[in-house]
Amino acid sequence: MSIARTTIAALLLTVSAPALADTLVDNVRGSTITSGGQVETFTGLLFDDAGTIVRVIHAGDKKPKARKEYQYHIDGKGRVMLPGMIDAHAHVMGMGFAALTLDLSDTTSLQQALDRIRTFTAEHTDRPWIIGSGWNQESWKLGRYPTAAELDAVTGNRPVWLERVDGHAGWANSAALKAAGVTASTKDPVGGKVERNADGSPQGILVDGAMALVAARLPAPRPEDRDTALATAQQLLFKRGVTAVADMGTTIEDWQAYRRAGDANRLYVRIMAYAAGVDNMTLIGGPGPTPWLYQDRLRMNGVKLYLDGALGSRGAWLKTPYADAPGTRGLPQLSQTQLGNLMSRAALDNFQVAVHAIGDEANATAIGAIEDLAATYKGDRRWRIEHAQIVDLKDFARFGRSGAIASMQPVHETSDRIMAEARLGPDRLAGAYAWKSLKDAGARLAFGSDAPVEAADPWAGLAAAISREGSDGQPAGGWQAQERLDRASALAGYTTGAAYAAFAETKFGRLAPGLRADFILVDTDPLTASPAQIRATRVVETWVNGGRIWSAEEKPETTSNNRR
Amino acid sequence: MSIARTTIAALLLTVSAPALADTLVDNVRGSTITSGGQVETFTGLLFDDAGTIVRVIHAGDKKPKARKEYQYHIDGKGRVMLPGMIDAHAHVMGMGFAALTLDLSDTTSLQQALDRIRTFTAEHTDRPWIIGSGWNQESWKLGRYPTAAELDAVTGNRPVWLERVDGHAGWANSAALKAAGVTASTKDPVGGKVERNADGSPQGILVDGAMALVAARLPAPRPEDRDTALATAQQLLFKRGVTAVADMGTTIEDWQAYRRAGDANRLYVRIMAYAAGVDNMTLIGGPGPTPWLYQDRLRMNGVKLYLDGALGSRGAWLKTPYADAPGTRGLPQLSQTQLGNLMSRAALDNFQVAVHAIGDEANATAIGAIEDLAATYKGDRRWRIEHAQIVDLKDFARFGRSGAIASMQPVHETSDRIMAEARLGPDRLAGAYAWKSLKDAGARLAFGSDAPVEAADPWAGLAAAISREGSDGQPAGGWQAQERLDRASALAGYTTGAAYAAFAETKFGRLAPGLRADFILVDTDPLTASPAQIRATRVVETWVNGGRIWSAEEKPETTSNNRR
C-alpha cells in the first residue's frame, strides 16, 4: 500500500515540478569552468522550481519555449553570469562577530586605532568587555607591538581584548590582564608567548597558545548573538557574490546556530563545516560526516587541525630561524606523531582532514603525515592543507604527489609580502604563496579569503591570483611574478576547485544540468578585465538554489528562498 | 515573481494532497479522549497522505466514498483503536542502553542476579567494563544492599558498574572502586553517600551524588552505540503502542543522536526533549525552545532539574526523617533559592521547566518556587513536577492552585508500595502516589513509565492507575484504594494529559480532524476490560503520522514512514 502511495506521489512530483515553475535567465554573458578545467561560455540558464539547473543555453542554441519549457523569464540585460563564488577558507561566525565588534582592520596608525578604540568604548558603555580585532602593527609601520599601557590611556578600567588581524595574537589592556591573572610570574604556555617588559611583567600582547589566558575569560556570546552574527556574515558574503563557504573551525555552538538557521529557513548560504578539533568533530558528526542538510546548504565534512601559527606573529613553524628573530623557528602546535594520531582518528570514521600549515616545516610535516596515512586510509580522502603558505622548494614535488589540496588565500600574498620578506629573508620567498608552482607540481588549488582575517572578497582574490599586485598596483608586474596564475585557473580556485575541496563538485561550483542554480550577475568579466577592474567588480544579484537572495537594487526576495 | 511561484506551488499542494492518497481505516471500536476530558467513541478514521486526520467517522455517519474521499482502505477487523500512547516521563537513550547492557530488573534474589552477572561477564569478554542496571535489593528481599565483595566473586578483576532500578544508586565491584580511586579516605560528596564497612572502607554502593565517582570513569558510548540505543528504544516503545515520549534529561549527545535519526529518516517516535540541566538547555535550544522538527517528531521543550533523589535509595527529600532511617531526611540536590534561580534562568527564555521532586519536602519546595516565579513569568508556562510521589496532605491545595502539572508514573506505586511503607511509616502513605487527590485538587495529570526504571508499558500503568493493584492482583481492592482513578482520566493521563504537559495538544494525543494520525490497534478496550486484561493488552499495529511503523504481524513499513 505505502509503496503505491510513495510511487504515485513521486510520479506527481516528477511530472509536475518542471511544468510548475521553470525559470529562464537569458541575455547574459555567462562563463563557467568545466569539470575539465576549461572555460565554457553561455548565454542563458534554465532551472526548475527545486533550484536545479535544467539546461545551459549556448550561443546559437534554439531558445527554450515560453509556457512550455519555462514559466518565468528574467532578462540578464547583458550582464556577466558566473557560478556563485565559493570561499574555501573562512570563519563564518568570526566574520559576523568581527562585524559586530570593534574592527581595526583598516587603521593605518596606532594613533588612529587608539582614537577608534576610545570612541567605540565610549559608545558601548553597556558592554562589560570591549572586544575587537583586525589590528596589524605592520600596517601601522610601528616596528613593534602596541602595549597595554597605550590601551589603558583610552579605555580606563574596563577590560579590553583586541585580536590581531591574523587571529594569532591578542592585545589586552591592564584590566584584561588583571581579570585573567596574567602577571610577571605567569609562565609562557606551550605553543604560546607572553610578550614582556624588561622586568618580566606582561607588556600587553599574548601570542598563539598564550591568547587563551585572556580569551578564556571573555563573556561567552549568547545564542542570540550567534544568530545575529550568522545573519550578518551571510549578508557580507552575498554582497560579494559568495554563495558557499568552507567554515574552518566549527564549534558545537557554531553548528547549533547553523542548524537553528536551517530549521527556521534563515540559512541561505551553503556552509561546508570543518569542526574545531576532534571533540567537536565527534559531537557534531557522530559516527561520520553529516548528510547534506537543508537542500545542500549545510554539511559537516570533517575536522580542522592546527599544526602551527601565523607568520606575522612568528607562530609559523619554519625549518630554519626567522630572518628577523634568529632565536625562534615558530610555535608548532603538534608533533608529527600527534598530528598523525589526530588525522588517523578522523580518517578512521571517514572525516575529511584540513590541516592548518603556514611555515615550511609545518607544510613538510603535514605532507609527511598524509604520506604515512594514505597507505592506511585508501579511497577518496581529499586531504587538505590550509594556507600552504611557505613551502620548501624541495617539498613541492612531494606536495603534488601526495594529492593534497592546497587551500590558499591569494590576498594574504599582497597583504603580507613586505612582512614576509622581513620574516623569511630573501632565500625563502620563491616558496611563499606559490600557487602556480603548487598547481604545476600537481596539487589541487582551492581559493578562499580567511575572513575575517581578510575581507571575504573573491574579486580582490582573483586580482591578486593573476597579478600578484596589491590594491595599489604594487609591485608593478607582481611580487614573485613567476607565481601569477592564468585566469581560468584562478576562477576555478573560487568555483570548481573550492567545490572539489569540499566534496561538493556534483552539487555546485559550476553551471551545468543537474547542479544547483547558484549563480551571480556582475558587471565585470574576470576572464578579460584588468586586475583593477576585477577588484572593483560590482555584484548586481546573488542567487542560491534558484532563489535570488541578494540584489544590489532591491531587498533580497527571501520568500522564494525560504521555500527551498 | 517568486511570490507567484510560491502561490502556484502552494495551491497545487493544497489541491492535490487530499485527492492524492487519503486512507480510510474503518470497522474499528475507537475511543479517544476529547479536549473536554470525555470519552468519544468512533468507528473509523480518514487521514491524508501528509499524516493529518481529515475526518473521524462515528456510528451512523455516512460512509466516506471510495476514490472520491479516499484511495486506500484498511479493514480494522473490529479491533480497538486508540490514540498512540504518550509516555510523559521516560529516558529514551537510557531505555536503549539498558536493553543493550545487563538487565537485572527481573531478578528476584541476589543469587539469581549474581548468576546472571557471571554469565553476562563471561559472554562479553571484549568489554573493558561490565555495565548494567535494574537491580533492586527490595525485590530480592535482601534487607540490605549487596556488596563489592559479592560482585568480585563472580566478575574477577574487570570493573563492574550496575545501577539500581531507580538510577539513584550504583553497585561497584572492587576493580571499579579501584579505577575510580574510591577508598576509606574518600569523603561523601554533596548530595551523595558512599556506603561503608565498619572500617570506613567503601562497601560497594554509591548513592546519588556519589555515583559520579565511578560513573565519570565509564568509557563514553560511541555515537554508533547511541544510534543503536535509539533504534532499540523506538522498537521497545512501538511494540507497547507508545508513539510519543517526553525524554527527561536530554544531553547534547542524546540530542545529536535524535537529530541524526531525524536527518536520516530513522526517527519514527515523537520525542519531547527536556534538557539535562541549563547548560544542555542553552546548547540544544539556544535562545529558546526549538521548533517542532521532522513533522512534529522532535522538539526541545525545556529543562529537567533534579531537586532530590529517590525513595528506595533514601535520596527523596522528606519533611521528617525516614521511618526506617531516623538519621536522614534524604538528599536535597538544590536549595529553594538555587532551584528558583535555575527555573528563572530557564523561564526567562521561555523554556518549560520540569522539576524532579519525590519527597514531600521536595514537592513543597518545588511548589513554593513555582508560586514565587508565577508572579514574574506570566503566560502559559505549564510548570511540571516530575513524580510528585510523596506530597504532604497540607500541600495538595497549593499544588492544585499552582497549576503545576503532576507528571506521575502509576507503576511506581505498585512496585514501591512495600518499600514506601517501610521508608515512610503509616502516617505519610495517604499522600503517596496520590494521583486522585492531586487531580481533585486541580493539578493536571500526565502519566509515564520512567523507563528504563520500569518497562515503558502504558497498559501496566493504566491497570495500576485504576486498580492500585500489582500484577499479582495484590492487594485486592487496591493499595490506598481511595486514590484509584476513573478509566477516562487514566487514559487521558497517557494521551491528552501527556500531550498537554508537553505543549503538544494541538498536534497529537487525541484523534480529531487536523491532528496527526498517530493511533494504535489493540485487542483490549481499557475502558471496559479488567485490570488483568488491560495488563495483557496485545498491540496489533502502531501508526505514526499516518504511517504504520510497527505491526505484530509484519515487518514495520518504514517506507511509508520514511516519506513523512
Side-chain angles (χ1 to χ4, degrees):
Chain A
M1 170 202 92
S2 305
I3 309 299
R5 297 162 80 176
T6 316
T7 321
I8 291 173
L11 278 172
L12 186 98
L13 289 170
T14 330
V15 178
S16 64
L20 167 60
D22 278 10
T23 301
L24 172 70
V25 183
D26 65 1
N27 185 24
V28 300
R29 292 177 290 140
S31 294
T32 188
I33 302 296
T34 66
S35 49
Q38 306 307 312
V39 173
E40 173 188 338
T41 61
F42 59 92
T43 60
L45 197 67
L46 188 70
F47 51 90
D48 65 28
D49 193 48
T52 303
I53 297 170
V54 176
R55 244 182 86 192
V56 178
I57 294 101
H58 302 84
D61 288 0
K62 207 149 115 304
K63 292 199 61 149
K65 289 192 185 52
R67 314 304 304 172
K68 186 155 181 306
E69 282 183 86
Y70 63 89
Q71 295 265 348
Y72 305 102
H73 174 251
I74 295 171
D75 179 357
K77 301 175 183 167
R79 286 176 177 130
V80 173
M81 179 186 281
L82 298 169
M85 296 291 117
I86 306 173
D87 191 321
H89 185 118
H91 306 278
V92 175
M93 297 303 285
M95 284 176 62
F97 280 119
L100 298 170
T101 54
L102 177 54
D103 176 14
L104 300 170
S105 56
D106 61 352
T107 56
T108 56
S109 74
L110 173 61
Q111 193 48 55
Q112 185 190 12
L114 291 172
D115 295 341
R116 191 83 63 78
I117 295 162
R118 180 189 287 104
T119 312
F120 188 90
T121 304
E123 284 169 352
H124 298 89
T125 49
D126 59 314
R127 304 197 184 177
W129 280 66
I130 296 299
I131 299 166
S133 61
W135 62 272
N136 181 351
Q137 81 283 6
E138 300 293 331
S139 359
W140 295 345
K141 316 268 183 318
L142 194 59
R144 62 164 175 90
Y145 278 128
T147 68
E150 286 161 335
L151 262 185
D152 296 343
V154 296
T155 59
N157 296 332
R158 232 184 324 164
V160 178
W161 176 249
L162 305 169
E163 287 199 359
R164 194 179 183 280
V165 61
D166 61 7
H168 287 270
W171 180 18
N173 68 354
S174 299
L177 292 168
K178 185 150 175 287
V182 180
T183 66
S185 57
T186 305
K187 298 209 174 3
D188 288 356
V190 180
K193 186 159 185 287
V194 178
E195 298 290 336
R196 299 167 191 278
N197 301 308
D199 64 357
S201 60
Q203 175 235 60
I205 297 296
L206 306 179
V207 179
D208 282 323
M211 296 171 69
L213 294 172
V214 169
R217 304 307 181 91
L218 299 179
R222 301 164 308 156
E224 302 86 315
D225 303 330
R226 297 182 189 278
D227 294 345
T228 306
L230 174 57
T232 306
Q234 292 192 76
Q235 288 308 307
L236 289 173
L237 291 165
F238 295 147
K239 77 174 186 187
R240 294 280 181 38
V242 178
T243 57
V245 56
D247 186 44
M248 280 294 158
T250 311
T251 65
I252 183 65
E253 290 83 3
D254 298 339
W255 179 258
Q256 292 295 78
Y258 302 154
R259 289 225 67 157
R260 280 198 295 279
D263 292 336
N265 291 317
R266 288 186 281 98
L267 184 66
Y268 307 117
V269 72
R270 304 191 190 276
I271 298 178
M272 295 81 78
Y274 293 81
V278 293
D279 290 348
N280 280 299
M281 174 189 84
T282 305
L283 192 49
I284 295 170
T290 68
W292 285 95
L293 303 166
Y294 313 116
Q295 299 85 36
D296 299 337
R297 281 191 180 79
L298 181 64
R299 182 176 191 251
M300 201 279 264
N301 284 355
V303 65
K304 163 85 174 292
L305 301 173
Y306 279 95
L307 182 51
D308 66 347
L311 199 59
S313 50
R314 299 195 184 81
W317 189 16
L318 300 175
K319 290 188 172 184
T320 57
Y322 279 81
D324 57 0
T328 177
R329 293 203 293 127
L331 301 168
Q333 305 290 307
L334 300 167
S335 71
Q336 173 154 355
T337 307
Q338 291 170 318
L339 175 66
N341 291 344
L342 291 173
M343 290 172 73
S344 184
R345 166 71 190 84
L348 186 68
D349 286 341
N350 298 300
F351 288 105
Q352 188 184 13
V353 177
V355 180
H356 167 111
I358 292 207
D360 51 9
E361 182 67 32
N363 277 279
T365 303
I367 295 160
I370 291 169
E371 288 167 344
D372 295 345
L373 291 170
T376 312
Y377 300 105
K378 310 287 187 190
D380 187 5
R381 296 290 179 161
R382 306 195 191 181
W383 311 98
R384 295 176 61 133
I385 297 184
E386 301 304 313
H387 307 303
Q389 214 166 81
I390 300 122
V391 178
D392 187 333
L393 301 184
K394 288 198 301 294
D395 294 324
F396 279 118
R398 281 178 71 202
F399 200 125
R401 272 197 310 274
S402 76
I405 291 159
S407 172
M408 306 181 77
Q409 301 76 36
V411 171
H412 280 337
E413 179 273 306
T414 56
S415 302
D416 296 356
R417 64 183 173 89
I418 291 163
M419 175 271 287
E421 286 173 353
R423 298 282 183 280
L424 301 172
D427 303 342
R428 288 178 282 200
L429 300 182
Y433 316 92
W435 40 76
K436 175 78 159 49
S437 296
L438 283 167
K439 178 174 186 293
D440 293 347
R444 297 240 193 190
L445 293 182
F447 283 158
S449 67
D450 203 10
V453 177
E454 301 280 358
D457 182 353
W459 313 106
L462 283 167
I466 63 173
S467 72
R468 313 269 297 183
E469 294 170 351
S471 52
D472 56 1
Q474 292 307 313
W479 185 82
Q480 300 286 327
Q482 74 281 0
E483 295 298 334
R484 283 174 305 176
L485 207 59
D486 67 280
R487 290 161 183 264
S489 300
L491 184 57
Y494 284 101
T495 57
T496 51
Y500 175 86
F503 288 95
E505 72 278 10
T506 60
K507 296 175 177 298
F508 48 86
R510 59 196 175 93
L511 299 174
L515 273 69
R516 297 286 189 176
D518 296 359
F519 61 89
I520 55 176
L521 295 171
V522 300
D523 69 351
T524 306
D525 182 354
L527 296 169
T528 56
S530 73
Q533 289 168 325
I534 293 172
R535 245 181 240 102
T537 298
R538 177 167 173 272
V539 176
V540 182
E541 292 186 2
T542 302
W543 292 62
V544 173
N545 220 60
R548 180 170 56 176
I549 40 74
W550 192 84
S551 164
E553 282 139 12
E554 309 165 25
K555 264 182 99 286
E557 292 179 17
T558 52
T559 317
S560 72
N561 181 266
N562 283 352
R563 284 203 40 258
R564 305 220 181 77
Chain B
M1 170 202 93
S2 305
I3 309 299
R5 298 162 80 176
T6 316
T7 321
I8 291 173
L11 279 172
L12 186 97
L13 290 170
T14 330
V15 177
S16 64
L20 168 59
D22 278 11
T23 301
L24 172 70
V25 183
D26 65 2
N27 186 24
V28 300
R29 292 179 289 141
S31 294
T32 189
I33 303 296
T34 66
S35 49
Q38 307 307 310
V39 174
E40 172 188 339
T41 60
F42 59 92
T43 61
L45 197 67
L46 189 69
F47 50 89
D48 65 28
D49 193 49
T52 303
I53 297 169
V54 176
R55 245 181 86 193
V56 178
I57 295 101
H58 301 84
D61 289 1
K62 207 148 115 302
K63 293 200 60 153
K65 290 192 185 54
R67 312 307 302 172
K68 188 156 178 308
E69 284 183 83
Y70 63 89
Q71 296 265 348
Y72 306 102
H73 174 250
I74 294 170
D75 179 357
K77 301 175 184 165
R79 288 179 175 129
V80 172
M81 179 186 281
L82 299 169
M85 295 291 118
I86 306 174
D87 191 320
H89 185 118
H91 307 277
V92 174
M93 297 304 284
M95 284 177 62
F97 280 119
L100 297 171
T101 55
L102 176 55
D103 176 15
L104 300 170
S105 57
D106 61 353
T107 56
T108 55
S109 74
L110 173 60
Q111 192 49 54
Q112 184 190 15
L114 291 172
D115 295 342
R116 189 84 63 81
I117 296 161
R118 180 189 287 107
T119 310
F120 187 90
T121 305
E123 283 170 351
H124 297 90
T125 49
D126 59 315
R127 304 196 183 177
W129 280 66
I130 296 299
I131 299 166
S133 61
W135 61 271
N136 181 351
Q137 82 283 5
E138 301 292 333
S139 0
W140 295 344
K141 318 271 183 313
L142 195 58
R144 62 166 174 89
Y145 278 129
T147 67
E150 286 162 333
L151 261 186
D152 296 345
V154 296
T155 59
N157 295 332
R158 233 186 320 168
V160 178
W161 176 248
L162 305 168
E163 287 198 0
R164 194 178 183 281
V165 61
D166 60 9
H168 287 270
W171 180 17
N173 67 354
S174 300
L177 293 169
K178 185 151 177 284
V182 180
T183 66
S185 56
T186 305
K187 299 209 174 0
D188 287 356
V190 180
K193 185 156 186 285
V194 177
E195 298 290 337
R196 299 167 191 278
N197 300 307
D199 64 356
S201 61
Q203 175 235 64
I205 297 295
L206 307 179
V207 179
D208 282 322
M211 296 171 68
L213 293 172
V214 169
R217 305 307 181 91
L218 299 178
R222 301 165 308 158
E224 302 86 316
D225 302 331
R226 297 182 190 277
D227 294 344
T228 306
L230 175 56
T232 305
Q234 292 191 79
Q235 288 308 307
L236 289 172
L237 291 165
F238 295 146
K239 78 175 184 184
R240 294 276 179 44
V242 178
T243 56
V245 55
D247 186 44
M248 280 294 157
T250 310
T251 65
I252 182 65
E253 291 82 4
D254 298 339
W255 179 259
Q256 292 293 79
Y258 302 155
R259 291 224 67 156
R260 279 196 296 277
D263 293 336
N265 292 316
R266 286 186 280 100
L267 185 66
Y268 307 117
V269 72
R270 304 192 189 276
I271 298 179
M272 296 82 79
Y274 293 81
V278 294
D279 290 347
N280 279 299
M281 176 190 84
T282 305
L283 192 49
I284 295 170
T290 68
W292 286 94
L293 304 166
Y294 313 117
Q295 298 85 36
D296 299 335
R297 281 194 181 78
L298 181 64
R299 181 176 190 252
M300 200 281 262
N301 284 355
V303 66
K304 164 82 174 295
L305 301 172
Y306 279 95
L307 182 52
D308 66 348
L311 198 59
S313 49
R314 298 194 184 83
W317 189 15
L318 301 176
K319 291 188 173 186
T320 57
Y322 279 82
D324 58 358
T328 178
R329 294 203 294 125
L331 302 168
Q333 305 291 306
L334 301 166
S335 71
Q336 174 156 354
T337 308
Q338 290 170 319
L339 175 65
N341 291 344
L342 292 173
M343 291 172 73
S344 185
R345 166 72 191 83
L348 186 69
D349 287 340
N350 298 299
F351 288 104
Q352 189 185 12
V353 177
V355 180
H356 167 112
I358 292 204
D360 51 12
E361 182 67 31
N363 277 280
T365 303
I367 295 160
I370 291 169
E371 290 167 343
D372 295 346
L373 291 170
T376 313
Y377 301 106
K378 311 286 188 192
D380 186 4
R381 295 291 179 161
R382 305 196 192 181
W383 311 98
R384 294 176 62 134
I385 297 184
E386 301 303 313
H387 308 303
Q389 215 167 82
I390 301 122
V391 178
D392 188 333
L393 300 183
K394 288 200 299 294
D395 294 325
F396 279 119
R398 282 178 70 201
F399 200 124
R401 274 196 308 275
S402 76
I405 291 159
S407 171
M408 306 182 76
Q409 301 77 35
V411 171
H412 280 337
E413 179 274 305
T414 55
S415 302
D416 297 356
R417 63 182 174 90
I418 291 166
M419 175 270 288
E421 287 172 354
R423 297 282 185 280
L424 301 173
D427 304 342
R428 287 177 283 199
L429 300 181
Y433 315 92
W435 40 77
K436 175 77 161 47
S437 297
L438 283 168
K439 178 175 186 294
D440 293 346
R444 296 240 192 190
L445 294 182
F447 282 159
S449 67
D450 204 10
V453 176
E454 302 280 358
D457 182 354
W459 313 105
L462 283 166
I466 63 172
S467 72
R468 312 271 296 185
E469 293 170 352
S471 52
D472 55 1
Q474 293 308 312
W479 187 81
Q480 300 286 328
Q482 73 282 0
E483 295 297 336
R484 283 174 305 175
L485 206 59
D486 66 281
R487 290 162 183 262
S489 300
L491 184 56
Y494 283 102
T495 56
T496 51
Y500 175 85
F503 288 94
E505 73 277 11
T506 61
K507 297 175 177 298
F508 48 87
R510 59 195 177 92
L511 299 173
L515 273 68
R516 297 286 188 177
D518 295 359
F519 62 89
I520 55 177
L521 295 170
V522 300
D523 69 351
T524 305
D525 183 354
L527 296 169
T528 56
S530 74
Q533 290 169 325
I534 294 172
R535 246 183 237 101
T537 297
R538 176 167 174 272
V539 176
V540 182
E541 292 187 2
T542 302
W543 292 63
V544 173
N545 220 61
R548 181 170 56 177
I549 40 74
W550 191 85
S551 163
E553 284 141 11
E554 310 166 23
K555 266 182 100 287
E557 292 181 16
T558 52
T559 317
S560 73
N561 180 267
N562 282 351
R563 283 199 45 255
R564 305 221 180 77

